[in-house]
Every structure is written in C-alpha cells, then in structure tokens.
Amino acid sequence: MKVLQRVVLEVSKLSKSFQQTKVVDQLSFSIQEGEIFGLLGPNGSGKTTTIRMMTGHVYPDEGDITIAGIDVMHDSLAIKKVTGIVPDSDELIEDLTAWEFLSFIAAIRSIPKNIATERSSEWLTLFDLYAHRDRPLHSFSHGMRKKVQFIAAVLHTPKLIILDEPTTGLDPDMVIMMKQVLLKLKAKGSAIFLSTHHLDFAQEICDHVCLIKKGVTVAKGSLAFVLKKSKSIRLEDAYIYFTEREDREDQIDALLGHW
Ligand SMILES: Nc1ncnc2c1ncn2[C@@H]1O[C@H](COP(=O)(O)OP(=O)(O)OP(=O)(O)O)[C@@H](O)[C@H]1O
C-alpha cells in the first residue's frame, strides 16, 4: 500500500521587488515530507530572498507561503517551532562557547535539558566539534561555524530544514557526511529545502529541483525530468542549458590581454 506523503512547504505565486526591480517572479513549488528540494540559480537570481520570505524576514509583494499548513506571514512563532534554518551568512553569538550557544538554542526551542545535552553531545561528536565545545564561537573557522549552525537548525527535529549554502567551507569529508546526514533525515520524513551552487552535491541528494534566473523559473520538476528535458546526464549541464550561461572566454582573454 502506498503511504500518502504530506506537503510540508507550499510556495504559491511568490513575487518580490526591490526598488522597482523584480527579484522573485511568480515562484511556485512545494515540498513533501521525506523529500529534498533544490532551488538553484546564478548569483543574484533570488534564492536568498525566497528563503528570507519563507522564514518571515522579508514580506512578499504577492503570493502565499505555508509551512506545515501554517501561513508564514501570520504566525512566525509557530513557524519557528517546525522549521530549522542554516542561513547563508555564518553569523553566531560570538561570545558564547559552542556548548553555551547550543544550550541557548535548545532553551528557546523548549527542548528538555537532558535531551538537549544528549543531542548536542552526539551532533558535536559527529561533526568533530566535541573537543572544541568550550571554545568561544569567535575563534571558530568558517566550516566549524557552518557545522554549529547546522546542529542548531536540527536540534529540535524540525519538519522542514532550510539550508542556504550549507556546504560552503566544509572539507570534502564533511561534505560527504553532510550528504549522508541529509539523506537519513529525509528517510526519517524531514522535508529539506536546499539552495546551493554545489551542483554535484544537489544532483546526489535532490528529488526535485527548480532552476531560476533573475527571479524567473526556467526549469522545474523531478531531477530526472529536468535532466531529460535538457538532454543532460549531469545537473551542471542542465543548469548551463536552462540558465543560458554565456561563454566569457573572449572577455577573459581581452581582460588579461591588458596585463
Ligand atoms: N534588501 C535588498 N535591497 C535591495 N536589493 C536586494 C535586497 N536583497 C536582495 N536584493 C537584490 O535581489 C537580487 C537577488 O538577491 P539574492 O540574495 O536573493 O540572490 P541569490 O540568488 O541568493 O544570490 P547568491 O547566489 O549570490 O547568494 C540581487 O540583485 C540583490 O542585489
């Protein structure tokens, strides 16, 4: 018998302009539980703006966003309970140690202390950070900070995990492990939203992708569908096909010719 999956995130006809320039244009997609969805596109194509609307930090001009059936614009507190986010920046509370920071996150997520202690210890150990738990976060490298952000995002086992460039600064071992972690969270029923420029990584884990360019959707569907439509084997080739990337070799030669 086929088990019915539930839609966790529904984005419908979302638009946003800054200073009369549309940076997200009628974007629609949904993510079901147990699914990994990738939003892909060139720099400045509107990925982070979309995430900021999903997390209630930016108000859309048009469109609707619901997470676990809750309207993002009307109940941001309820949304925080069911969502975990790794933002694009690596900002943390600098003067806290990693342990203090995770204890603080656990407290605002209302996770009982004994559970928080156990989960934090396990995640820190998995990410090779346990020995560094009593160091202030301002002394952490970029990759270490991304790992702490990831742990903070999943500590309360959210229904939806939103990841903006989660692999930047991670070494290859950690990227492989991140992939394994995300696939296991998916198997446990989490819905995962991923924005990344790391296309091989996206190809290995995404079930569905949406490619955007200047805020406009240029391809959307299952990974297999998008690859087939562009007659590609690699997502990188599909990306180049749909975003109509220009070859800049002549421009590079002209620029370096002045040196
Ligand atoms: N607060 C803002 N005010 C004005 N313009 C903004 C603002 N935030 C984003 N933009 C513009 O919106 C466009 C989309 O930006 P966004 O950060 O969403 O892109 P992105 O796809 O996440 O890019 P990247 O891959 O470089 O992270 C860009 O042109 C950006 O300059």
Side-chain angles (χ1 to χ4, degrees):
M1 193 177 74
K2 199 167 186 287
V3 180
L4 268 185
Q5 286 176 304
R6 273 175 299 208
V7 172
V8 177
L9 171 68
E10 180 97 58
V11 169
S12 174
K13 298 184 177 166
L14 194 66
S15 294
K16 179 73 191 174
S17 296
F18 290 117
Q19 288 100 38
Q20 278 86 52
T21 304
K22 219 168 217 187
V23 301
V24 177
D25 192 357
Q26 295 288 306
L27 179 65
S28 296
F29 62 87
S30 62
I31 312 180
Q32 298 186 331
E33 55 187 27
E35 188 176 272
I36 304 182
F37 174 91
L39 183 65
L40 315 170
N43 291 134
S45 57
K47 303 180 297 295
T48 298
T49 304
T50 300
I51 291 174
R52 292 180 65 75
M53 289 190 277
M54 281 159 43
T55 54
H57 291 96
V58 167
Y59 208 86
D61 298 331
E62 280 174 64
D64 297 298
I65 308 170
T66 56
I67 296 176
I70 308 160
D71 185 330
V72 168
M73 261 59 81
H74 290 110
D75 198 345
S76 57
L77 265 182
I79 291 295
K80 281 194 176 74
K81 285 191 183 146
V82 292
T83 310
I85 173 161
V86 175
D88 62 336
S89 76
D90 67 358
E91 273 172 44
L92 292 164
I93 305 175
E94 302 296 326
D95 290 335
L96 297 185
T97 65
W99 189 261
E100 287 167 344
F101 177 71
L102 293 175
S103 303
F104 169 72
I105 295 292
I108 58 174
R109 300 288 199 192
S110 309
I111 305 172
K113 213 167 172 189
N114 57 332
I115 295 175
T117 300
E118 193 185 333
R119 281 191 200 156
S120 299
S121 303
E122 285 176 350
W123 279 110
L124 286 166
T125 303
L126 183 70
F127 282 119
D128 294 338
L129 288 179
Y130 191 74
H132 304 282
R133 68 192 182 284
D134 293 324
R135 276 177 50 191
L137 291 166
H138 64 70
S139 70
F140 274 31
S141 71
H142 176 71
M144 291 164 88
R145 300 162 80 86
K146 291 303 277 189
K147 292 186 218 174
V148 172
Q149 285 182 326
F150 183 83
I151 299 170
V154 297
L155 211 52
H156 60 306
T157 54
K159 283 182 195 298
L160 175 68
I161 304 167
I162 299 171
L163 307 163
D164 199 353
E165 290 291 344
T167 53
T168 50
L170 296 190
D171 65 45
D173 269 2
M174 281 296 152
V175 172
I176 292 167
M177 201 179 70
M178 178 67 80
K179 191 179 76 185
Q180 290 171 332
V181 167
L182 294 179
L183 288 171
K184 286 191 191 291
L185 287 169
K186 163 192 147 100
K188 281 182 160 294
S190 295
I192 299 171
F193 173 100
L194 169 72
S195 166
T196 185
H197 294 296
H198 195 161
L199 296 178
D200 288 340
F201 182 78
Q203 179 159 10
E204 285 176 46
I205 63 169
C206 287
D207 302 292
H208 287 84
V209 292
C210 177
L211 272 61
I212 54 173
K213 185 180 180 183
K214 294 182 182 161
V216 175
T217 301
V218 291
K220 188 171 71 172
S222 70
L223 183 65
F225 173 80
V226 168
L227 290 174
K228 193 172 170 203
K229 223 168 162 215
S230 57
K231 299 188 178 65
S232 307
I233 292 169
R234 295 183 62 212
L235 185 55
E236 190 173 287
D237 295 324
Y239 175 95
I240 289 168
Y241 174 87
F242 285 116
T243 59
E244 297 169 332
R245 181 187 168 273
E246 293 166 52
D247 191 339
R248 304 272 179 96
E249 200 174 338
D250 290 349
Q251 231 177 313
I252 297 166
D253 286 341
L255 187 151
L256 293 180
H258 303 312
W259 283 39

